[in-house]
Amino acid sequence: MIPREWLRKIRRIELRTTLLVENLMAGQYRSVFKGRGMDFDEVRPYEAGDEVRRIDWNVTARTGVVHIKKYIEERELTVLLVVDVSASGNLGSTHQSKRETAAELAAVLAFSAILNNDKVGLLLFTDRTERYLSPRKGRQHVLAMIDLILTYQPKSARTNIAAALNRVFHAHSRKAVIFLISDFMDQDYERALKVVGRKHDLIAVPIMDPVERELPDIGWVVFEDAETGEVVEMNTADPETRAGFAQNALRLRERTREHLRRAGLDAIEVETDRPYLRSLTRFFHTRYHRMHP
């Protein structure tokens, strides 16, 4: 039984994201994610400007009139949301945690997919595969995914992005659109990004909380690493401590960006204290203009 507070949260996410998708995202989604290819539809008489390569010579010979083959796009896609549910995702210094932000983003992407008649699946991971929902269509399927992202209690606290990507690589033989939603607090995953990115349309979605960018000036604070349990005490009133923390955070962020750039991947950078619509719009705008120069 899902607690009432989570049901309300799931309902709010559904209402907010459905409105966003119907008004803004569905058309952008369709414009940048193409089907797997073209299927033959019918033949029709040749018209000026048609491609000569599409002439159906058998029909032309039989009828004495030049005909061309007409094709339609094989539209249906498989979309897979690969979501990090390790312990660091529970951090949330603003109105919602990184995991709640991931759930809302997943909802936007999933509702966009099913509105375009695509199938969508979910893989939750830590340093292992925690749960997997095979790609399907339908509103109830999407709501089940949102529920799982929000309420699932993982068996491990740690992160292994490479292991999750390896599972995806072997589980999906046909090309899929994959959104990797994580805070990327991990190492040694660059090669996995490249391997999966060559086979699938892999998009990275890094999520960050503001407290990971800079420390507030609140005196001595004890920090515990949610994944390793390591405890560190810091004097946040010290300007040098705060500056050092901010510089280290920037280096980590730039390292992630470099890994994604070298793997040739698009990225949607999201922060828990800022509206994600701007990041999504920028991603769709950039990809559309790259596809339609």
Side-chain angles (χ1 to χ4, degrees):
M1 182 68 66
I2 303 173
R4 185 172 298 176
E5 62 179 291
W6 286 113
L7 287 172
R8 287 197 296 265
K9 186 178 290 290
I10 293 167
R11 182 60 177 157
R12 283 199 302 270
I13 289 176
E14 180 190 12
L15 290 173
R16 187 161 54 240
T17 57
T18 300
L19 185 65
L20 175 62
V21 167
E22 290 177 348
N23 290 339
L24 296 172
M25 303 305 301
Q28 296 184 59
Y29 170 93
R30 185 180 181 87
S31 69
V32 301
F33 295 120
K34 300 298 183 180
R36 289 189 292 263
M38 304 296 286
D39 280 345
F40 172 73
D41 183 30
E42 61 181 2
V43 295
R44 63 168 174 78
Y46 177 86
E47 297 176 359
D50 287 336
E51 288 188 37
V52 176
R53 290 177 298 175
R54 291 190 177 181
I55 293 177
D56 188 320
W57 295 106
N58 291 330
V59 176
T60 298
R62 188 169 65 248
T63 64
V65 178
V66 179
H67 280 71
I68 68 164
K69 296 177 181 178
K70 182 181 175 183
Y71 294 87
I72 56 174
E73 182 184 3
E74 184 188 0
R75 171 61 232 177
E76 184 178 291
L77 296 172
T78 295
V79 177
L80 185 64
L81 306 174
V82 181
V83 181
D84 180 356
V85 290
S86 61
S88 60
N90 296 325
L91 176 65
S93 62
T94 58
H95 65 286
Q96 63 181 15
S97 67
K98 287 188 284 185
R99 200 204 278 206
E100 289 170 327
T101 302
E104 194 159 324
L105 277 166
V108 171
L109 298 168
F111 280 123
S112 296
I114 64 168
L115 196 62
N116 281 279
N117 204 37
D118 293 336
K119 295 184 295 184
V120 59
L122 174 70
L123 186 148
L124 301 182
F125 74 94
T126 53
D127 59 357
R128 65 194 74 179
T129 297
E130 294 278 352
R131 283 292 301 274
Y132 175 74
L133 296 181
S134 58
R136 291 172 52 195
K137 301 178 183 180
R139 170 180 169 273
Q140 290 303 318
H141 179 59
V142 173
L143 292 178
M145 291 194 300
I146 300 170
D147 170 33
L148 203 57
I149 296 171
L150 287 173
T151 65
Y152 182 78
Q153 298 297 316
K155 298 176 178 63
S156 174
R158 295 175 179 266
T159 311
N160 191 325
I161 292 173
L165 291 174
N166 185 60
R167 166 68 187 273
V168 170
F169 183 85
H170 290 97
H172 291 265
S173 57
R174 301 188 71 176
K175 183 176 181 179
V177 177
I178 300 172
F179 291 94
L180 175 59
I181 305 175
S182 173
D183 57 14
F184 288 83
M185 298 291 184
D186 192 20
Q187 299 179 8
D188 302 323
Y189 58 82
E190 185 177 358
R191 182 178 180 278
L193 292 176
K194 294 178 180 177
V195 171
V196 175
R198 284 195 293 265
K199 181 178 179 181
H200 300 285
D201 187 357
L202 178 60
I203 299 107
V205 188
I207 298 179
M208 178 175 282
D209 188 85
V211 79
E212 294 170 326
R213 294 194 309 265
E214 55 186 3
L215 291 173
D217 183 356
I218 54 175
W220 285 95
V221 178
V222 176
F223 294 93
E224 180 179 358
D225 189 303
E227 298 191 13
T228 66
E230 180 182 357
V231 176
V232 176
E233 189 176 14
M234 290 186 183
N235 180 12
T236 62
D238 180 7
E240 290 187 6
T241 297
R242 294 200 306 275
F245 182 91
Q247 290 172 4
N248 185 58
L250 181 60
R251 280 195 298 270
L252 291 174
R253 189 167 195 175
E254 289 302 323
R255 185 192 68 182
T256 300
R257 286 172 173 167
E258 179 64 13
H259 288 338
L260 301 178
R261 186 192 66 78
R262 290 170 62 176
L265 304 184
D266 287 331
I268 307 171
E269 291 191 351
V270 176
E271 303 194 27
T272 59
D273 64 332
R274 298 176 184 177
Y276 56 77
L277 178 58
R278 184 179 302 173
S279 298
L280 282 172
T281 301
R282 186 185 306 117
F283 160 74
F284 283 113
H285 178 81
T286 300
R287 177 171 274 221
Y288 178 83
H289 284 282
R290 188 170 68 240
M291 295 171 62
H292 305 84

